[in-house]
Amino acid sequence: MNENALFQVVLFSFILNKVYLRDFPRIMKKLFLSAALWGSTLLTGYLLASTNTAYFFQQQSIDIKGLVLSNGKPLAGSTVSLVELGLTASSENNGQFVFSKVPLGNYTLIVQHAGMKAYQLKVIPGQDVKIELEENTIAIDDVQVIGQRSKVKGATSTFISRQAIEHLQATSIAEVLQLLPGQAIYNPSFSQINTPLIRQGGSSPTGTTHDSKSRSVASLGTSIIVNGAQLSNNADMQAVNTASGGVLSSFGNASGRGTDLRQLTADNVESIEVIRGIPSVEYGDLTSGVIDVKTKAAVQPLQAKFRLNPTLKQGWVGQGFAVGKDQGALFVDVDYTYAANNQIQTSESYKRFNTSLQYTNTLGANRNLYTNTTLAFGGYYDDSKIDPDLTVNQVINQSENYDLRFSTNGRWNLDKRFARNINYVLSAQLGFQNGFQQMMNNGSLFAVSNALVDGTYEVDFLPSSYLQQIYIKGKPLNLQARLSDNFYFSTGAARHAITVGGTYTLDKNFGQGKYFAGDMPPKNNSGLGFRPRRFEDIPALNQLAFYAEDKLAVDVFGRSLDIVAGLRYDWMQPFRDDAKNAFSPRINASYELFKDFSIHGGYGWSAKAPSLIYMYPDPVYLDVFSLSHYKQDPAERLALVTTRVFDAQNQNLEMAKSKKREVGVDYKKFSISVYDERIANGLDMYQYYNFTNVPIYTVATQQPGQRPELSEVVKDSLYVTDYRVPSNNVNIVNRGIEFDFDFGKVKPLRTSFTLNGAYAYTKSFDNNPFVYARRMPNQPYNKLGVYEGRGKEYTRFLTTLRAIHQIPELRLLITLTAQTIWTDKDKYLNYTSRPYAVMDIVEGGAGEERMLSEQEIAAISETSGLFLPVAESYYRTESWKPLWLFNTKVTKEFGKNYGFSFYVNNITNNRPYQRSKRNPDQLEKRNIPIFFGSELSIKF
C-alpha cells in the first residue's frame, strides 16, 4: 500500500471515531468500532488501490451445487441460504439447488425446510454437496425446543423453531418471547393488550411492572414482520380524547403503542427470528428490535390442536395441500380462542378468530421465481360487560376489531452481474375497528357545549342522570411496497455482497371516527370537552426509504473477518413542507481470533415515524361555565358556556431515533453480549399548560317563569387549563449484559442443559419539565412551578436454567426450568419539592419560563403553593430479595399421529410475602401464581 492511501485511510478512521462516536464508551469503541471501521476501510482501500478495473469485473467464479434429501428422497421447497453473499435459493422437485458464478472462497450454507431441523455446513465453490434433513420432532436426538443463538446479517438474534413453539404451548406470539435471554416468565393473559418489549429492564408482557411511557416507546418501536410484510398500527386512532387521556381509552386498544400480540396465534408459525441487536438497514420504521415471523407454507398433514388452561380455551386446525404437480402448495388454518381471566365472573372476556391461506410456488421456465402469497383474516373481541355487582353504573367497554391482510413476497433469481436476486414485498392491511364506551352519569347537573370555534354559547342543562355512550370507528389502511437487489463481487481476497433497495409505505384511516349516541354528549369533568371527529378527514402518513448495504467477508491472518455496513435514509411525508427525514448508519462485525472463538460488535441508528395519533391529535376544546343558573322550572334556567379551541398539533414533532452499541464474544455454543441502547426523543402525550380569559356573567334580576336578566358588568377570569400534546418527551437508556450458554447433552442422563439471562438496566425520564402548583388558602394562584422532568430506573439480574430430558424412542420430552431473579430494584428520579423556574399565569404566557436564582429557590417555604411535598418513600430504592420460579413442560407423542402436552408454572407455588423497602409497613406477595395448561394434538 502506498503512503498516500494509508494516510487517507487513517485520517478517515480518525474522523469517524472523533466526530460520530465521541460519547461511545471507551472499551466498546476500542474493542470494536476502531478495529472494524479502520480495518474495513484499510482493507478496502488497499484492495481497490491494488486491483485494476478489469480484474474488478473479471473474477474467477464457479458454481455451488447441492442436493437436499429427506429419508433418502429428494426434498423440494427447501430454503438454501449462502450466508456470506446473502443469497437464497430453493430446492427443485428433484431436490437440487445451485448458486451460479460464485467467487472463490469458503462459504456457509444453511438449509431449512418446514418441520425439518435446520442444517448448516461449510462449502467451497465447485463442491457438490448432499444434505440429509431430519424431521424436527422429539423422535430424533437433539430436537430444538429452545431459542437458538443466531446472527441475521451480523445482528445478535434468537431463532425459534416450530418445535420450540409447540413444546412451549404458546397461545400467542407474546409468550414465545419468554425464550429470549433476560425475559421473565409470566402466565399467559388476554385480559389486556400484550405489546412486545425487548431488552427492557423491569418489564412484563402486560405492563404490570413497567412505567407506561417507556413501555409505549419501546413497543411502538418494535417491528413485527409476518411473511416479509411489516405490520403497522400507524393509522390506529382508537383514543377517546387525546387532550384529556392521551392515546388511551377505557376499552382495549394499542393506538400509539405498537402491535397487540394477542392477535397473532402461534400455532401456524413455522419460525420466529427475534433481532435484539443492530438490524440490517433493510429493516426500518423502528427504534427497538425486530420480530420476524414466518408462517407455515409447506405440504403438511391435517393437524388439530385443542388447548385448555384455567383462563383459556383454544382450538386450531391446519393443513398444507399440494395444489398439483409443479403447482405449489397451499396451507390453510383456522384458530379460535376464548379467554376470561376470572372464570367465576366472566363480565370481561377476550375472543379471537384467525384464518389464513398461504400459497407458495416456484415459477418460470428455469424455476427461478419463488413466490409466497398470504391472505389472512382475523376478528378480535375484547369485551367488558356490565358487572352484576355494579349495575347502577351501567359500565360497558368493548373493542371489536377485524383485520384483513394480504401480502406477497418473492425472489427472482436473475443471475445477472448486478442483479443476482431481485426481492420484492407487496402488502395491504385493512382494519375495521369498533370501540364502545358506556357509563351512567348520576347525581350532578351539567351542561355541555358542542361549539367548534371560540365563543360563549347558550346551552341546555343535561339530565341529572343519563346514559353516556361513545363510539369510535376506525378503518386503518396500510400499503407497503419494497424492492431490493442483491449482487456480489470480489476485490482481491474480499467478497462483497451488496444489497440496495427502497420501500414505500402509506398509512391512512378511512373510519367514521368518534361520535356519541343521540343528543346526549359525554360529560366532561376536567373542562376538556368531547367533540365528534371523522378519521377520514385526517391526512395520510407517507414514507419513503432507500438503503444500501455491503456484507464484506475476508480472511485476515488466516481468520475470517465479516463486516456488514449499510446506510438507510427514511423520508417521512416526502415533498411536503412538514417533511422529516433521518439517516441511519449501521455496522456489525465479527472476527475469529482463534478456532471457535470470535469477537463481535455493532453500532447503529434507527428511526421511527410518529403514528397518526401523534401527528394529528384531537383539537382541544376547553368548555368553561360563564354562567350556571339552574332552576326547577326549565323556563327559568340559563347556562352559558365559553369554548376556547387550541391546536394540539406539534409542528416540531420529530421522528423518534435510537442509537445502539454492542460488543461481545462467542465461543462454540457460548455467547456474551454487552449492549448500550438510547432513545433520546421517544414519543409521548405531554401535559401542557395554557392560560385564557373567560367572561363571567351574573344574574341581575329574574321574574318567575322567565329567563334571568344578566348584569351589564362582565368580568374576565384568567383560567388555567392543562391538556396533552404530542412531543418527543421520553428519554430511555437501556444497558446490560446478555449471555446464552449451551452446555450440550449429558448422554448418560439423556439431558441437555442451557443457561441464559441478562443483567438489565433501564432508565426512563421526561425531557420536558414537570409543571404544577398547589392552590393554597389565602395565597394568590398566579404562578406555576417548573420542576425537573421526572423518571424512574430499573435494575434486574435474571437467569434461566433449563434441563431438557429426551427419550426419543419413547417420544417423550420433559423440560424443567428454574428462573431466578437475583436482583430487582427500581428508583424514582427527580422528584424534587422546589422548582428551578416559574411560569407566570398571564394570558399568552404559556410556556414562558422564568429561571429562579438559588436564593429564590431556597426562599420557597413549605407552605407555598410552589412547594410540592414529596413523600419520603419516593427517595428510597425499592429492592427485593432473590426470587425463584420452577416450571415444567412435558410433551409425549403416541405414534406419529397423537400428542399430549402439559405444563405447570410455579410448580412449587412459591409466592413469598416480602416486605417493601420503599414502604416498610407493606408486604407484597411476589411471584406468579401457580398455573397449568394442557394440549392435545392430532394428525390425520
Side-chain angles (χ1 to χ4, degrees), residues 386-657:
I386 297 175
D387 190 329
D389 297 327
L390 298 170
T391 55
V392 65
N393 295 328
Q394 297 289 299
V395 174
I396 297 177
N397 296 302
Q398 295 176 343
S399 175
E400 184 178 357
N401 300 325
Y402 301 95
D403 194 20
L404 181 64
R405 291 186 284 114
F406 169 82
S407 67
T408 180
N409 68 85
R411 180 183 63 252
W412 190 11
N413 296 326
L414 291 179
D415 204 21
K416 303 296 182 181
R417 174 177 294 171
F418 294 110
R420 301 290 184 176
N421 283 350
I422 301 295
N423 298 281
Y424 67 88
V425 177
L426 297 172
S427 72
Q429 179 181 346
L430 179 63
F432 302 88
Q433 301 173 323
N434 301 281
F436 176 70
Q437 291 184 188
Q438 173 184 292
M439 66 175 292
M440 180 66 74
N441 285 318
N442 293 310
S444 63
L445 294 169
F446 209 79
V448 176
S449 171
N450 61 1
L452 300 178
V453 295
D454 286 2
T456 301
Y457 303 90
E458 180 179 340
V459 298
D460 293 328
F461 281 101
L462 296 172
S464 60
S465 178
Y466 72 95
L467 193 63
Q468 169 184 306
Q469 295 178 321
I470 299 176
Y471 297 86
I472 306 180
K473 296 189 176 182
K475 193 183 293 183
L477 172 69
N478 171 263
L479 300 176
Q480 296 177 43
R482 185 168 76 241
L483 185 67
S484 64
D485 175 27
N486 297 87
F487 61 94
Y488 49 84
F489 58 84
S490 295
T491 53
R495 290 160 295 171
H496 301 265
I498 305 297
T499 300
V500 294
T503 302
Y504 170 73
T505 305
L506 177 142
D507 288 283
K508 168 72 176 169
N509 197 314
F510 292 93
Q512 184 178 348
K514 57 185 75 176
Y515 59 94
F516 53 84
D519 57 355
M520 292 296 180
K523 177 181 176 181
N524 79 71
N525 296 313
S526 62
L528 300 177
F530 176 91
R531 301 291 192 276
R533 187 186 188 192
R534 297 188 65 86
F535 293 157
E536 63 184 359
D537 297 333
I538 298 172
L541 169 62
N542 291 274
Q543 297 184 76
L544 274 175
F546 305 95
Y547 54 86
E549 186 173 73
D550 181 9
K551 190 171 188 288
L552 183 148
V554 67
D555 286 345
V556 178
F557 303 116
R559 300 291 181 183
S560 60
L561 170 66
D562 296 292
I563 300 174
V564 181
L567 179 65
R568 182 183 180 93
Y569 175 70
D570 289 285
W571 193 9
M572 185 184 85
Q573 303 295 53
F575 311 108
R576 288 179 34 165
D577 294 338
D578 58 347
K580 309 288 183 182
N581 60 72
F583 284 96
S584 301
R586 302 174 197 170
I587 182 172
N588 283 290
S590 66
Y591 180 65
E592 186 182 36
L593 288 176
F594 314 104
K595 183 180 180 181
D596 298 325
F597 182 87
S598 62
I599 60 173
H600 69 266
Y603 175 84
W605 290 79
S606 54
K608 172 74 181 77
S611 55
L612 290 180
I613 201 166
Y614 290 109
M615 296 176 63
Y616 304 104
D618 298 330
V620 180
Y621 298 97
L622 175 66
D623 297 326
V624 183
F625 271 117
S626 287
L627 175 68
S628 178
H629 186 75
Y630 182 83
K631 296 292 183 180
Q632 290 297 328
D633 185 353
E636 297 178 353
R637 301 172 188 171
L638 180 61
L640 299 177
V641 171
T642 294
T643 296
R644 295 286 183 258
V645 184
F646 304 105
D647 184 4
Q649 191 172 343
N650 184 354
Q651 300 295 339
N652 297 318
L653 195 67
E654 296 290 337
M655 302 175 73
K657 299 176 183 179

Side-chain angles (χ1 to χ4, degrees), residues 886-904:
F886 299 96
N887 304 334
T888 185
K889 299 183 186 296
V890 178
T891 300
K892 174 70 174 79
E893 291 182 354
F894 301 90
K896 293 185 177 182
N897 296 331
Y898 300 95
F900 178 75
S901 304
F902 73 88
Y903 69 91
V904 182

Side-chain angles (χ1 to χ4, degrees), residues 137-139 143 145 163 166-169 303-306 750 805-815 888-903 933-939:
T137 71
I138 60 176
V143 62
V145 294
Q163 188 63 50
E166 290 180 346
H167 184 60
L168 189 65
Q169 301 167 54
Q303 183 179 17
K305 293 183 182 180
F306 306 95
R750 294 188 171 188
H805 181 69
Q806 182 188 6
I807 307 177
E809 54 268 28
L810 296 181
R811 293 179 175 264
L812 178 65
L813 183 66
I814 303 173
T815 300
T888 185
K889 299 183 186 296
V890 178
T891 300
K892 174 70 174 79
E893 291 182 354
F894 301 90
K896 293 185 177 182
N897 296 331
Y898 300 95
F900 178 75
S901 304
F902 73 88
Y903 69 91
S934 61
E935 176 188 299
L936 175 65
S937 174
I938 304 174
K939 293 181 181 179

